[in-house]
Amino acid sequence: MGPHPAVADVRRAVRAALAGLPSGSLALVAASGGADSLALAAAAGFEAPRTGLAAGLLTVDHGLQEGSAAQAATVVRLASRLGLDPAEALRVEVGRTGGPEAAARDARYAALEGAAERLGAAAVLLGHTRDDQAETVLLGLARGSGTRSLSGMSAESGLYRRPLLELSRATTRAACAALGLDPWDDPHNADPRFTRVRVRERVLPVLEGELGPGVAEALARTARQCREDADALDAWAESAFASAQEAAREAAREAAREAAREAAQDAAPEAGGDFAHSDIALAVAELAGLPGAVRRRVLRRAAVAAGSPAGSVSSAHILAVDRLLTDWRGQRGIDLPAGVVAVRRYGTLILARKPG
């Protein structure tokens, strides 16, 4: 007799996620002790040695609730039972930037990345499920932050792999039950102070009740489609960004050559030929004909490259810069976060930090 269907589903997903990792390399499971990460850890301990890999476990102690250190120690002790070695508890200090959820997430990922580098791991497996993906899509929809936000979490992103994105939370709970594992229910996962908890406990059940079952699956499917679209648009924008930069550099070189021919070197900067190394210069002609979705991605990329923090550049900022291209009336420059300004001069859009 084979394994329970839920166990088989989780193992199959983990096997696919591990495929392609170099033989003999180490994959680490980020485990809290909840049903999702516990099912993931059990599957990784089963599958890794069968595919020529080693598997270990990391658990993060955020120190945000009483008994967190004891819970982390319990998860570490489970590792040997699941065939995972090495196993470590990582204690972190959670800051305040961005609110409690974001601060905890930032501290967690920093700790995981540091441990993975120290241990020489090829991948870190995360236990996000289809339900988590649905919640992420709804949160992105509420923020109105565009296709990339609606694309949710990727199955693979750099060091991280998320094998369970196609599986439900009910599947991971069933897998734990079949394996005799007792998941830990984090009290924070039921605390309505957190936005994600309210989406999980209130919003999604209402949608399921009013629209019928399958809403979470439909939202996860939407995320896959949006991710494909966003990836294609981002690739197009990256190519357009490079082309617009090269066209601006060529225009600057030609302006300098013309100025030299006219023996008027002091005209070269006015013609757009004197860019600081950190300035981002883009040829307006290369951008003007692009679809808005691509053009505004180029502008966001340019703002960040010029020094504006990615999280601080809003849609309003990008729309204002876009008007320098699409509604040019000789207007003044646009101020962007971190002292960056965008100006249009002689057919060139320049994004640079203000002096001083």
Side-chain angles (χ1 to χ4, degrees), residues 21 24 29 46 79 90-91 100 132 142 189 194 208-209 226 229 236 247 261 279 292 303 307:
L21 291 180
V29 179
F46 181 86
L90 309 173
R91 179 63 185 260
D132 295 303
N189 289 336
F194 300 112
E208 294 273 0
C226 286
D229 291 349
W236 187 354
R261 284 192 293 268
D279 292 354

Side-chain angles (χ1 to χ4, degrees), residues 311-331:
S312 301
V313 181
S314 69
S315 296
H317 289 130
I318 298 305
L319 288 172
V321 177
D322 197 33
R323 285 193 287 273
L324 296 178
L325 304 175
T326 62
D327 188 24
W328 175 241
R329 295 171 284 101
Q331 58 263 49

Side-chain angles (χ1 to χ4, degrees), residues 11 42 55 83 114 121 155-156 336 354:
R11 287 177 178 175
E156 185 174 337
L336 299 172
K354 296 177 183 178

Side-chain angles (χ1 to χ4, degrees), residues 14-316:
V14 169
R15 191 183 314 133
L18 295 176
L21 291 180
S23 179
S25 61
L26 172 66
L28 295 168
V29 179
S32 66
D36 302 337
S37 63
L38 205 54
L40 175 63
F46 181 86
E47 292 291 339
R50 289 165 173 77
T51 54
L53 302 172
L57 178 147
L58 300 173
T59 188
V60 178
D61 174 13
H62 298 86
L64 296 177
Q65 51 190 307
E66 187 177 349
S68 63
Q71 171 56 29
T74 298
V75 175
V76 169
R77 285 194 297 271
L78 272 174
S80 59
R81 173 184 169 186
L82 301 177
L84 301 170
D85 182 56
E88 295 185 6
L90 309 173
R91 179 63 185 260
V92 298
E93 294 294 329
V94 177
R96 297 182 179 181
T97 303
E101 292 172 280
R105 182 175 60 249
D106 290 345
R108 179 167 61 253
Y109 278 97
L112 292 174
E113 288 163 19
E117 182 177 4
R118 173 169 49 81
L119 295 170
V124 174
L125 308 184
L126 304 176
H128 298 116
T129 65
R130 187 172 65 203
D131 300 84
D132 295 303
Q133 186 75 297
E135 294 159 13
T136 300
V137 173
L138 282 177
L139 289 168
L141 183 62
R143 287 192 295 266
S145 45
T147 307
R148 176 55 68 188
S149 182
L150 293 181
S151 65
M153 297 174 285
S154 61
E156 185 174 337
S157 178
L159 179 69
Y160 298 107
R161 302 192 176 199
R162 296 179 174 88
L164 309 183
L165 283 182
E166 301 295 327
L167 301 180
S168 69
R169 200 169 284 142
T171 299
T172 64
R173 286 200 169 276
C176 287
L179 293 170
L181 298 172
D182 185 20
W184 172 65
D185 290 318
D186 185 347
H188 281 174
N189 289 336
D191 189 337
R193 291 179 301 169
F194 300 112
T195 306
R196 184 175 287 271
V197 172
R198 294 196 298 274
V199 169
R200 178 183 307 141
E201 300 293 332
R202 301 175 184 176
V203 178
L204 269 172
V206 168
L207 291 176
E208 294 273 0
E210 295 296 326
L211 303 178
V215 170
E217 185 175 359
L219 288 168
R221 187 165 60 249
T222 297
R224 288 195 299 273
Q225 295 166 349
C226 286
R227 179 165 295 280
E228 291 175 356
D229 291 349
D231 286 346
L233 290 170
D234 286 348
W236 187 354
E238 190 64 28
S239 175
F241 177 73
S243 296
Q245 278 193 301
E246 179 54 35
R249 284 192 289 264
E250 179 55 35
R253 288 191 290 265
E254 178 57 33
R257 288 192 293 267
E258 181 65 23
R261 284 192 293 268
E262 296 175 1
Q265 295 290 343
D266 58 345
E270 279 291 330
D274 186 20
F275 304 134
H277 179 71
S278 60
D279 292 354
I280 302 298
L282 305 170
V284 170
E286 291 285 324
L287 301 178
L290 293 173
V294 178
R295 187 176 62 250
R296 287 186 284 274
R297 277 173 163 79
V298 173
L299 298 180
R300 181 175 292 277
R301 168 77 172 81
V304 173
S308 290
S312 301
V313 181
S314 69
S315 296

